[in-house]
Amino acid sequence: MTETTTARPADEESALHAEIYRLLAELLRQAPNGELLDWLGELQAEDGGPLGRAWDGLAAAARQAQPTALERAHFRHLIGVIQGEVVPYASWYRQGELMDEALISLRRDLKRLGIARHADNSDPEDHLAALFECMAILTESQPEAAPAFFERHLAPWASDCLADLARVDTPFYARLAELGLAFMAHEQARLEQAAQLQALRWANAPRSSHHQSEAKS
């Protein structure tokens, strides 16, 4: 995904969240190469909460994985000859068909937000990896739009998709799904709080002199 609007500088926390979205997207789109596997295998979580344990689980799985085997597993789990064991599209999970209403609604919102699909990517925009890429963009450049986008296009189905992926027989992809689930829960709470603060600021914002004059008339 690419964005046509100008990005604002992001704070450190937002940048970290955006990078996690991008990492999840990359690992869902294609199998990791040896360099990325080595990097993942060296990760150490800073806390012992659900998200930290999920990072540790992925790191342990990465240390035991081989790139060639993961290429075959990725194809089997997420692509397939006709379709993979898991079909990571919003329309599939929400309507039971590919390229259905969930994709149509998403395309309307992407156009409004100024986000476009890469020209060299033929996947429909409601692929889970594409939606994670959108969240990375919004987290960095349009944080006020991120909560509504998450609730509208990820919250209704992404956890179900990741739960299905967590049941596959390849430890690396099962641990990746568990990380995605933990991160989704973390983001749900964070974005709900951000939306509440945004609504509070809006409610407490001073009215314009134009609106005040209208109220007096």
Side-chain angles (χ1 to χ4, degrees):
M1 290 289 178
T2 59
E3 187 185 29
T4 58
T5 55
T6 302
R8 297 195 300 267
D11 61 27
E12 185 176 349
E13 182 181 14
S14 294
L16 175 60
H17 291 166
E19 286 306 306
I20 295 173
Y21 276 120
R22 288 193 177 97
L23 175 63
L24 292 172
E26 180 178 354
L27 293 174
L28 288 168
R29 278 205 188 279
Q30 61 187 16
N33 58 25
E35 182 179 357
L36 181 52
L37 270 182
D38 289 343
W39 180 81
L40 289 169
E42 294 174 357
L43 292 176
Q44 291 184 334
E46 296 180 355
D47 65 77
L51 191 55
R53 291 194 297 272
W55 278 114
D56 286 340
L58 182 63
R63 290 192 292 270
Q64 300 298 319
Q66 296 297 325
T68 302
L70 288 186
E71 287 179 8
R72 293 193 297 267
H74 181 269
F75 182 84
R76 179 162 55 91
H77 298 322
L78 291 163
I79 301 175
V81 176
I82 298 177
Q83 66 184 41
E85 297 168 348
V86 179
V87 184
Y89 294 92
S91 292
W92 182 264
Y93 274 86
R94 299 184 70 179
Q95 284 88 37
E97 299 285 347
L98 293 175
M99 304 187 75
D100 211 313
E101 177 57 34
L103 177 59
I104 296 170
S105 173
L106 172 63
R107 283 175 171 169
R108 285 196 295 263
D109 283 351
L110 291 177
K111 183 176 181 181
R112 176 177 55 82
L113 292 167
I115 299 175
R117 181 172 61 181
H118 282 299
D120 58 354
N121 182 10
S122 60
D123 280 334
E125 296 90 331
D126 62 339
H127 191 289
L128 183 55
L131 290 171
F132 281 160
E133 290 167 354
C134 290
M135 281 301 301
I137 291 171
L138 294 176
T139 298
E140 288 183 329
S141 65
Q142 300 184 56
E144 68 284 350
F149 187 92
F150 184 95
E151 285 300 316
R152 185 172 172 83
H153 299 295
L154 277 167
W157 73 281
S159 291
D160 290 338
C161 178
L162 290 167
D164 287 341
L165 186 61
R167 289 189 283 268
V168 301
D169 59 9
T170 304
F172 179 85
Y173 282 103
R175 302 295 87 75
L176 172 63
E178 290 169 1
L179 174 62
L181 285 166
F183 184 63
M184 285 281 294
H186 176 81
E187 281 293 275
Q188 181 110 38
R190 182 183 73 86
L191 292 169
E192 285 177 356
Q193 183 180 35
Q196 291 169 0
L197 290 174
Q198 184 176 329
L200 184 61
R201 285 195 295 268
W202 177 264
N204 292 334
R207 296 181 179 182
S208 68
S209 57
H210 173 70
H211 288 162
Q212 289 175 348
S213 63
E214 285 184 341
K216 291 179 182 178
S217 62

